[in-house]
Amino acid sequence: MNAVAFQPPPHPPPLLDETQVLQLANKGYLALDIPKPLSTAVSELFDHTRDFFTLSTSDKQSRYPSAEGTELGYYQIPREKEYLTYRHCPSISSRTPLDLAAASLWSLAAPFLHRILSDLSLALDIPLSAWDPLLDGCLSMPNGPQETTPTLLRLFNYFPASGAAERHTDTGLLTLCIGTAPGLEVWSPASSSSATNFGSSPEGDWISAHPHPTILVGKTLQWLSNGRLVAGPHRVVASSEGRQSIVFALRPSLRRRYFDLNPFGERSVVDLVGVWGQIRGSVFNVNAQTAIRTEQKERMRARGLLWDEVKLVREREENRSDEQSGEDSQEAVVKETVEEVEPEAEEEEPKEGSEELGEEPEAEEEEAEEGEEEPEEGEKEPK
């Protein structure tokens, strides 16, 4: 009898069923049970996080000094929240049990979100390999600053009675949010409404995401799908007891500047760094201090960059050849395909004394996960 050659399956078994895929695509959020190993890593990280936030402010700042605005290290917003952001592992000589627990969770959360992207690929007829350049260096915590990508892990401690985050959507691909208490709310639009048209009933309502882990679609994924997936609006409301949360934001790697959109149905190559800058430049940092947020809003309003005034839908190239290659031709395509919005240099936030924050110094303050970008009252985010 002739042996039958083993043929591996063409893709991993689906993690989401059809109903869950539609929920994530149309509403931008999904409550989802997480695998046991990831759940265990979450519990262990929360144990270390609670211990960390009991330290004095000076100890927390000295162990994890702020850097890159709000994008790395420890920050505190008076009467609102404090948080620790990881973009890479600390040096081996200084790593703590908290650092190891954070790296462990990253190594499980990133592939988990990658699996969800794979399920979306099947639903949208996108090749599974399309995500490879976007996730280069993102699936495990980088060993040092030289390997850093925009992806981050953020640990929040919201203060009792006043800790909150205004309504917003995230800027990346997918975000995983897990909290210890109620507070995270997602916008659930009415069946006839778009997830981006959030405000008050009867168009939809804010619903509590607790106690379930929650997956949120970000603006970059909405852009890549050309609007077939919508970014999920969410907010954090204050609770009497306060809450802690773990937020893992899977964002596009920028290690390869030029990105081929053919797998996503576009016959063009774009400057991914420029696209990322445009998306980030269309929002303000919900995790910055109140005065900084207000200033950012006013500056962006003056530039005509608030929400529905921002063009985030890529232009189609009808006559672009698939065979164009080489850096010169790529640059030409980029200029015609993407109109890059140069984010203004962010003002550095005050350090100790006013306690805190800032963001990447060369670009608009980045999203702040569970509290990331956000629209103003009555304004709508771009479609």
Side-chain angles (χ1 to χ4, degrees):
M1 181 181 294
N2 293 330
V4 177
F6 171 73
Q7 293 294 326
H11 53 74
L15 184 66
L16 307 182
D17 59 33
E18 182 178 356
T19 300
Q20 291 172 315
V21 169
L22 289 174
Q23 160 93 13
L24 192 58
N26 295 329
K27 296 193 175 183
Y29 75 89
L30 178 66
L32 184 65
D33 292 332
I34 57 178
K36 180 63 176 178
L38 178 54
S39 179
T40 299
V42 166
S43 297
E44 293 177 353
L45 183 54
F46 270 133
D47 288 341
H48 292 292
T49 299
R50 279 189 287 269
D51 292 341
F52 172 74
F53 285 125
T54 62
L55 299 174
S56 68
T57 298
S58 59
D59 281 347
K60 287 178 283 195
Q61 290 175 332
S62 63
R63 293 188 186 193
Y64 300 94
S66 62
E68 300 184 40
T70 62
E71 288 294 281
L72 183 65
Y74 172 78
Y75 302 88
Q76 183 184 116
I77 303 178
R79 300 175 299 281
E80 194 170 295
K81 60 200 166 198
E82 59 183 340
Y83 57 92
L84 173 62
T85 303
Y86 283 97
R87 295 276 297 282
H88 60 78
C89 288
S91 62
I92 295 177
S93 60
S94 62
R95 287 178 191 172
T96 66
L98 172 62
D99 302 333
L100 297 176
S104 176
L105 181 132
W106 187 313
S107 69
L108 295 168
F112 176 67
L113 295 184
H114 189 188
R115 281 286 306 279
I116 294 175
L117 289 175
S118 297
D119 285 356
L120 295 174
S121 288
L122 298 176
L124 299 176
D125 196 25
I126 297 171
L128 297 182
S129 60
W131 306 108
D132 292 348
L134 292 168
L135 301 181
D136 184 14
C138 300
L139 297 181
S140 61
M141 186 181 284
N143 287 321
Q146 70 282 357
E147 300 178 14
T148 294
T149 72
T151 293
L152 59 77
L153 171 63
R154 188 163 277 162
L155 312 176
F156 283 97
N157 182 37
Y158 289 90
F159 301 140
S162 59
E166 300 172 72
R167 59 190 188 183
H168 61 281
T169 55
D170 295 347
T171 55
L173 297 168
L174 290 173
T175 305
L176 171 64
C177 302
I178 305 174
T180 59
L184 176 63
E185 295 184 344
V186 292
W187 176 248
S188 182
S191 58
S192 60
S193 302
S194 165
T196 58
N197 294 331
F198 56 102
S200 58
S201 295
E203 292 183 352
D205 204 0
W206 290 102
I207 61 174
S208 175
H210 189 75
H212 305 288
T214 302
I215 308 298
L216 297 165
V217 172
K219 284 182 173 295
T220 300
L221 187 53
Q222 176 176 307
W223 181 84
L224 284 167
S225 69
N226 219 13
R228 290 182 289 173
L229 302 169
V230 297
H234 54 287
R235 67 184 184 184
V236 176
V237 297
S239 62
S240 58
E241 67 271 25
R243 69 189 288 271
Q244 293 184 358
S245 67
I246 295 171
V247 174
F248 179 76
L250 186 63
R251 297 170 169 177
S253 171
L254 303 180
R255 292 184 176 180
R256 307 180 195 184
R257 182 176 186 119
Y258 298 108
F259 183 70
D260 186 357
L261 287 172
N262 271 282
F264 293 88
E266 297 285 343
R267 299 176 61 187
S268 57
V269 175
V270 296
D271 179 352
L272 190 58
V273 175
V275 170
W276 179 242
Q278 181 181 357
I279 291 174
R280 290 184 57 209
S282 71
V283 302
F284 52 93
N285 190 351
V286 73
N287 282 336
Q289 295 196 55
T290 303
I292 299 295
R293 294 199 295 258
T294 300
E295 184 178 343
Q296 290 174 355
K297 292 177 186 178
E298 293 304 317
R299 187 167 63 235
M300 293 176 68
R301 182 180 295 106
R303 294 166 60 201
L305 288 178
L306 275 176
W307 296 102
D308 50 352
E309 298 171 287
V310 181
K311 295 180 180 179
L312 291 180
V313 178
R314 59 179 181 263
E315 299 174 3
R316 295 183 179 275
E317 287 289 311
E318 299 295 340
N319 301 314
R320 186 64 56 191
S321 170
D322 286 337
E323 277 94 41
Q324 282 187 295
S325 60
E327 190 164 305
D328 291 340
S329 62
Q330 285 180 334
E331 288 178 356
V333 175
V334 167
K335 289 178 182 178
E336 297 177 18
T337 313
V338 177
E339 180 181 352
E340 180 176 347
V341 176
E342 187 76 27
E344 282 189 15
E346 217 29 84
E347 296 181 11
E348 284 198 16
E349 304 218 7
K351 303 275 184 188
E352 174 120 351
S354 68
E355 285 182 84
E356 167 185 312
L357 246 84
E359 223 275 298
E360 288 195 49
E362 297 179 0
E364 284 297 336
E365 298 269 2
E366 260 196 58
E367 66 195 89
E369 286 56 84
E370 224 177 70
E372 252 183 276
E373 325 129 54
E374 70 185 63
E376 278 213 319
E377 195 69 35
E379 295 191 37
K380 298 177 182 180
E381 55 177 304
K383 295 182 181 179

